[in-house]
Amino acid sequence: QLRTLGMAEDNSFGLLNRIDDIINLQPSMLFISIGINRYCERHSQGKLPLSNILDLVKKLKKVLQKQKY
């Protein structure tokens, strides 16, 4: 079953707040596309909002290491 759980105008804070709900669905595949708009907006200023994205990756890595394939 395919689910699209993206939200218009959402950001990494929103995804980080609801990632547990997504993990609880136990997806066999997960595609995440976040941070591109902010990256483009702030790249010229030298500021990249990576902390939430890194926290998200750490959380997903921890969950995935517990799963057996």
Side-chain angles (χ1 to χ4, degrees):
Q1 181 180 21
L2 177 65
R3 293 180 187 214
T4 303
L5 301 174
M7 297 179 155
E9 301 296 323
D10 199 11
N11 57 33
S12 58
F13 292 103
L15 179 56
L16 197 54
N17 284 333
R18 66 179 197 279
I19 193 63
D20 287 329
D21 294 335
I22 296 168
I23 290 170
N24 288 336
L25 294 172
Q26 298 180 339
S28 59
M29 288 187 204
L30 180 62
F31 299 90
I32 300 173
S33 178
I34 57 172
I36 300 305
N37 292 336
R38 297 293 182 257
Y39 176 83
C40 293
E41 289 173 5
R42 298 174 195 238
H43 183 63
S44 61
Q45 300 173 11
K47 298 177 184 176
L48 301 177
L50 296 178
S51 62
N52 285 342
I53 296 170
L54 292 174
D55 288 345
L56 179 65
V57 169
K58 287 177 190 175
K59 186 169 203 155
L60 290 172
K61 185 176 177 180
K62 184 178 178 181
V63 169
L64 292 174
Q65 286 177 339
K66 293 179 182 179
Q67 293 181 355
K68 295 182 180 182
Y69 297 94

